[in-house]
């Protein structure tokens, strides 16, 4: 009897605890959604209603922002196309190079693997710093104002991903499979492409997704290496857009040229609409890939 | 007889040596595909990681592009001296360290707190919606982040000035003192969900029977957290702390540069080593100071990462880089 009483009290305390946790998490979720909702609302507001300030529920709904984007479709679709190109090519290259580097490292009978592993580890501990990296890529490899600027600096392969793939190979593909394939006369290239890669889809998916996300979101390459507006990706286009808005804000507004420039700039709502357009692909695929992404965050987060 | 035997042995040795040599050659020949597979990655590491390490030498030169990098004169530690004489050096180092110190502790508390709450509601359907949503902000690029922040803070139209501060509009983008708070909120918005994921995974791995027996003994939820969950999370917490200490001289460039829109009036509270390196290199064209700051960051960062990983290795070798 005493015991069951005790249990009821306990359950009550647990219930309260449970609902407090639930409320906190719902609030946290709302906190994460609010900025995105504001952005969406602004993009659907008419320009006049925005003069009173941004609102979560537009005073006056309008598709002007999206009409403006349609009028500017040449510029925007070019930037968009380049972003897709960079993301697809970058991710594919990155996956191939990373897994090809990881395979020999996973082979216990490959003698130089300790030396190579050290060469790789060392890049995770030490780097030459941004300035030296910039000078090497621009003065030695001349990637300024080429698409290579998006693909190469810092993005193609990193030690962490190689380690994740190597560890996956080691943990999930028994050496006996490789030996058996060798007995049957399979060459290393065949083993890599016909056994290792197909058997390691989960890890390839994870690092592929993070790599794609990195390429899609890469704006700092544009900041450092791209001056030619024809080579803007959507992120760089947005960044330059924000710059010109700031520039006009700090310039004398009576100036004729400035007024003219201001008229050709996207309106308040259109800017937010363009940002949403850049976010849409991520939003669209996120529900389907979030499990892999979150798993990747755990795997990658535990190691430096 | 023995003479004969000796020559025989020598012959045998020679044959053996020859065979070994042949084997070695064959081994390298057999391994050739493996070497070739590593070639692209190796070339990339050389270009992206190792050549810039030699680029550190640039910090000891007075770079003059008109006569070329190689011919530019050596100036020993002049660049570093100039850099550390400026007020910039103090501000950027102070900011980098202060933000990191506060954020490392704050992130830890928030992440563990979220993980505990999420674990509590894990059985509910809504948890499957909440978790992806609170992790989503980490997918947003710094540029889009700056648009989101701008929607709240813009001087003339921003949500805050249009509602709460309607009578008394605040010049957010011109006032340095607000930015430690703004950046902290943005940082939480972007990172909290993501950093809680690791702790959620660890809590998920805890043996459920521990809680069952604690409940039978009449332990409340808070007691269960205090005496079961937190002690079991401790190794993970210590490890994550150590790893973040290794990065204490680094900062999120996008957050500190792009979110305040690169505004010069906000240097006091938004300049970090990373933003200084960028500004000196690309805007004020001061390669010397830029490379001095970036080498300073890289060298100290190297020792910090080394030390933190050595300590991690002591606790849990699996999680150490080496």
């Amino acid at each position: 009897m005493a015991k069951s009483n005790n249990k009821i009290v306990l359950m009550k305390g647990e219930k309260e605890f449970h609902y407090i946790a639930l409320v906190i998490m719902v609030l946290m979720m709302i906190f994460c959604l609010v900025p995105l909702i504001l952005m969406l609302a602004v993009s659907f507001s008419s320009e006049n209603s925005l003069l009173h300030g941004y609102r979560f529920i537009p005073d006056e709904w309008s598709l002007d922002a999206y009409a403006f984007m349609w009028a500017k479709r040449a510029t925007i679709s070019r930037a968009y196309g380049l972003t897709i190109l960079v993301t697809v090519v970058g991710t594919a290259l990155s996956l191939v190079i990373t897994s090809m580097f990881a395979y020999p490292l996973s082979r216990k009978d490959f003698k130089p693997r300790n030396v190579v592993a050290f060469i790789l580890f060392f890049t995770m501990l030490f780097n030459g710093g941004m300035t030296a990296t910039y000078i090497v890529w621009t003065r030695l490899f001349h990637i300024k104002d080429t698409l290579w600027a998006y693909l190469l600096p810092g993005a193609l392969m990193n030690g962490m991903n190689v380690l994740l793939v190597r560890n996956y190979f080691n943990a999930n593909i028994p050496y006996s499979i490789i030996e058996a394939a060798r007995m049957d006369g399979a060459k290393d290239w065949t083993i890599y492409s016909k056994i290792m890669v197909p058997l390691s889809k989960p890890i390839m998916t994870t690092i592929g997704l993070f790599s794609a996300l990195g390429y899609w979101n890469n704006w700092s390459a544009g900041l450092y290496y791209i001056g030619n507006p024809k080579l803007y990706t959507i992120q760089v286009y947005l960044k330059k857009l924000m710059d010109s808005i700031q520039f006009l804000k700090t310039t004398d507004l009576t100036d004729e040229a400035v007024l003219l420039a201001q008229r050709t700039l996207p309106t308040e709502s259109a800017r937010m609409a363009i940002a949403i357009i850049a976010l849409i692909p991520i939003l669209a695929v996120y529900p389907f890939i979030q499990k892999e992404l979150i798993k990747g965050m755990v795997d990658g987060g535990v190691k430096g | 007889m023995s003479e004969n035997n000796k020559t025989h042995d020598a012959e045998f040795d020679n044959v053996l040596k020859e065979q070994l040599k042949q084997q070695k050659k064959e081994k390298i020949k057999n391994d050739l595909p493996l070497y070739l597979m590593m070639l692209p990655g190796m070339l990339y590491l050389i270009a992206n990681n190792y050549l810039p390490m030699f680029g550190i030498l640039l910090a000891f030169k007075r770079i003059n592009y008109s006569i070329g990098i190689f011919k530019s004169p050596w100036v020993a530690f002049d660049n570093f001296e100039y850099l550390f004489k400026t007020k910039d050096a103090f501000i950027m180092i102070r900011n980098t360290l202060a933000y990191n110190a506060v954020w490392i502790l704050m992130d830890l508390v928030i992440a563990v707190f979220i993980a505990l709450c999420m674990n509590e509601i894990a059985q509910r359907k809504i948890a499957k919606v909440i978790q992806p949503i609170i992790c989503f902000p980490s997918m947003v690029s710094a540029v889009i982040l700056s648009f989101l922040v701008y929607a709240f803070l813009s001087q003339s139209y921003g949500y805050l000035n249009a509602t709460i501060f309607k009578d008394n509009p605040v010049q957010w983008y011109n006032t340095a003192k607000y930015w430690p708070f703004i950046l902290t909120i943005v940082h939480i918005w972007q990172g909290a969900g993501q950093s809680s994921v690791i702790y959620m995974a660890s809590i998920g791995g805890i043996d459920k029977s521990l809680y069952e027996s604690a409940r039978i003994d009449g332990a409340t939820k808070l007691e269960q957290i205090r005496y079961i969950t937190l002690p079991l999370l401790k190794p993970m917490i210590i490890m994550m702390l150590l790893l973040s200490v290794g990065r204490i001289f680094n900062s999120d460039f996008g957050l500190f540069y792009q979110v305040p829109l690169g505004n010069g009036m906000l240097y006091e509270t938004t300049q970090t080593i990373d933003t200084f390196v960028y500004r000196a290199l690309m805007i004020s064209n001061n390669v010397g100071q830029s490379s001095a700051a970036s080498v300073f960051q890289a060298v100290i960062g190297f020792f910090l990462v080394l030390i933190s990983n050595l300590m991690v290795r002591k606790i849990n070798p699996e999680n150490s880089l080496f």
Side-chain angles (χ1 to χ4, degrees):
Chain A
M1 188 65 202
K3 198 173 179 187
S4 75
N5 259 344
N6 200 359
K7 197 163 189 184
I8 291 165
V9 174
L10 196 72
M11 287 297 286
K12 207 178 160 197
E14 283 189 357
K15 234 180 199 162
E16 281 160 11
F17 190 85
H18 180 89
Y19 285 113
I20 292 171
L22 186 63
V23 170
I24 289 171
M25 286 325 294
V26 170
L27 288 177
M28 179 71 198
M29 176 178 75
I30 294 170
F31 171 64
C32 289
L33 285 175
V34 155
L36 299 168
I37 293 171
L38 181 63
M39 194 183 205
L40 200 64
V42 172
S43 80
F44 283 110
S45 302
S46 77
E47 205 56 27
N48 280 333
S49 69
L50 286 181
L51 293 177
H52 314 298
Y54 294 172
R55 292 288 149 78
F56 280 97
I57 298 161
D59 293 341
E60 197 184 333
W61 294 82
S62 143
L63 285 173
D64 289 353
Y66 295 89
F68 177 92
M69 274 203 302
W70 183 245
K72 282 247 177 188
R73 62 186 176 278
T75 318
I76 293 172
S77 59
R78 184 188 176 88
Y80 214 78
L82 272 182
T83 317
I84 294 171
L85 179 75
V86 166
T87 305
V88 171
V89 174
T91 307
L93 272 179
S94 163
L95 277 177
V96 170
I97 292 180
T98 303
S99 58
M100 285 206 309
F101 200 83
Y103 172 58
L105 281 180
S106 78
R107 283 274 302 269
K108 291 197 173 53
D109 57 332
F110 182 56
K111 276 275 162 51
R113 93 194 163 105
N114 285 331
V115 180
V116 177
F118 179 78
I119 292 174
L120 184 77
F121 283 147
F122 194 68
T123 65
M124 298 168 79
L125 300 175
F126 188 54
N127 64 78
M130 191 57 224
T131 313
T133 308
Y134 173 81
I135 287 173
V136 166
W137 281 118
T138 53
R139 301 270 151 180
L140 212 58
F141 295 109
H142 302 283
I143 61 162
K144 223 166 183 169
D145 274 331
T146 66
L147 283 181
W148 294 111
Y150 292 112
L151 293 172
L152 296 177
L156 202 51
M157 185 180 95
N158 66 62
M160 176 60 64
N161 284 349
V162 176
L163 286 187
L164 287 174
V165 176
R166 186 203 63 174
N167 292 349
Y168 192 93
F169 285 166
N170 280 341
N172 296 287
I173 303 173
Y175 191 63
S176 54
I177 294 188
I178 299 173
E179 266 184 335
R182 272 239 212 81
M183 296 282 198
D184 291 344
K187 294 273 183 292
D188 281 314
W189 181 253
T190 319
I191 296 174
Y192 161 77
S193 59
K194 294 272 156 66
I195 298 175
M196 306 310 272
V197 174
L199 282 181
S200 51
K201 265 190 198 132
I203 191 70
M204 293 297 200
T205 313
T206 308
I207 66 166
L209 286 175
F210 277 101
S211 166
L213 187 70
Y215 277 115
W216 185 273
N217 280 342
N218 185 356
W219 62 283
S220 53
L223 190 68
Y224 276 101
Y225 305 107
I226 303 290
N228 180 358
K230 288 212 155 131
L231 293 178
Y232 286 173
T233 57
I234 196 80
Q235 304 282 347
V236 179
Y237 177 70
L238 279 167
K239 150 86 187 131
K240 301 285 175 181
L241 198 59
M242 192 52 111
D243 286 352
S244 43
I245 295 163
Q246 282 309 103
F247 173 74
L248 291 177
K249 284 251 161 78
T250 52
T251 317
D252 190 3
L253 281 180
T254 53
D255 193 327
E256 196 99 346
V258 171
L259 277 174
L260 190 74
Q262 204 171 36
R263 238 173 278 139
T264 57
L265 263 181
T267 56
E268 295 279 329
S269 55
R271 274 172 232 156
M272 294 298 164
I274 298 168
I276 284 174
I277 292 287
L279 205 52
I280 276 181
I282 299 178
L283 277 171
V285 295
Y286 186 68
F288 306 103
I289 61 173
Q290 48 94 5
K291 268 205 182 117
E292 278 78 19
L293 284 174
I294 291 173
K295 203 183 133 288
M297 287 174 195
V298 177
D299 293 346
V302 180
K303 284 227 173 219
Chain B
M1 183 69 187
S2 74
E3 184 86 344
N4 200 359
N5 226 349
K6 240 181 206 162
T7 49
H8 207 92
D9 271 1
E11 227 167 74
F12 185 69
D13 269 6
N14 273 341
V15 171
L16 206 66
K17 259 186 204 157
E18 200 57 32
Q19 249 175 3
L20 276 174
K21 230 189 212 167
Q22 201 65 32
Q23 263 179 10
K24 215 174 189 180
K25 252 189 199 163
E26 216 146 86
K27 179 95 185 97
I28 291 182
K29 206 181 134 201
N30 276 340
D31 282 349
L32 192 66
L34 295 179
Y35 286 103
L36 283 177
M37 275 186 213
M38 290 194 317
L39 190 64
M42 207 48 117
L43 290 176
Y44 183 69
L45 287 182
I46 290 170
N48 189 60
N49 299 83
Y50 282 93
L51 285 176
M53 287 184 203
F54 293 102
I56 283 175
L57 295 173
L58 298 175
F60 303 94
K61 281 189 161 206
R62 189 181 305 116
I63 300 290
N64 182 347
Y65 285 130
S66 59
I67 56 171
I69 291 170
F70 287 103
K71 284 188 189 148
S72 297
W74 295 97
V75 292
F77 283 93
D78 279 10
N79 287 327
F80 292 90
E81 250 173 63
Y82 288 134
L83 173 68
F84 287 107
K85 267 187 199 147
T86 61
K87 209 179 141 223
D88 291 338
F90 171 72
I91 293 178
M92 70 192 187
I93 293 173
R94 177 200 67 191
N95 287 351
T96 310
L97 290 178
Y99 278 110
N100 269 318
V102 175
W103 287 2
I104 287 173
L105 291 175
M106 187 193 70
D107 288 355
L108 170 74
V109 173
I110 295 179
V112 171
F113 182 75
I114 292 178
L116 289 171
C117 291
M118 275 308 287
N119 184 55
E120 183 58 35
I121 62 165
Q123 304 303 322
R124 284 180 171 268
K125 275 204 188 105
I126 195 169
K128 299 205 169 46
V129 181
I130 293 177
Q131 194 186 24
I133 290 179
I134 63 172
C135 288
F136 183 76
S138 60
M139 312 280 134
V140 174
S141 79
V143 174
I144 293 180
L145 195 56
S146 74
F147 275 76
L148 291 169
V149 174
Y150 182 83
F152 284 92
L153 301 184
S154 146
Q155 166 72 20
S156 29
Y157 309 109
Y159 181 75
L160 290 185
N161 279 355
T163 54
I164 305 169
F165 301 97
K166 197 167 183 165
D167 306 320
N168 236 334
V170 183
Q171 299 213 323
W172 301 102
Y173 283 101
N174 297 335
T175 321
K177 66 177 177 188
Y178 299 126
W179 282 85
F181 302 101
I182 298 168
L183 290 175
T184 301
I185 293 172
V186 176
H187 170 76
I188 294 174
W189 185 79
Q190 184 154 51
Q194 183 183 23
S195 51
S196 71
V197 176
I198 285 175
Y199 298 107
M200 249 181 271
S202 322
I203 295 176
I206 296 175
D207 185 357
K208 297 283 174 295
S209 64
L210 287 173
Y211 295 103
E212 281 310 312
S213 38
R215 280 182 69 186
I216 291 168
D217 290 345
T220 63
K221 272 280 165 187
L222 283 176
E223 283 168 339
Q224 290 174 30
I225 287 171
R226 191 167 158 205
Y227 295 107
I228 302 175
T229 317
L230 289 182
L232 286 174
L233 276 187
K234 206 170 142 197
M236 180 61 89
I237 291 175
I238 291 174
M239 203 189 69
M240 297 306 287
L241 277 180
L242 284 173
L243 289 176
S244 33
V245 168
R247 293 188 294 258
I248 201 162
F249 271 83
N250 296 69
S251 63
D252 178 352
F253 174 72
L255 179 60
F256 285 95
Y257 182 77
Q258 186 56 26
V259 173
L261 304 178
N263 198 330
M265 283 189 229
L266 306 175
Y267 285 167
E268 189 67 28
T269 53
T270 63
Q271 181 89 304
T272 62
I273 301 175
D274 297 274
T275 64
F276 175 86
V277 167
Y278 170 77
R279 285 193 173 109
L281 177 68
M282 305 295 291
I283 296 171
S284 52
N285 232 334
N286 192 336
V287 188
Q289 294 210 349
S290 174
S291 56
S294 104
V295 166
F296 169 75
Q297 184 189 38
V299 171
I300 294 198
F302 172 62
F303 287 110
L304 285 173
V305 171
L306 209 60
I307 293 166
S308 79
N309 272 284
L310 281 173
M311 284 160 82
V312 168
R313 190 165 67 163
K314 272 206 169 148
I315 304 167
N316 190 351
E318 260 180 41
N319 293 317
S320 168
L321 277 178
F322 45 82

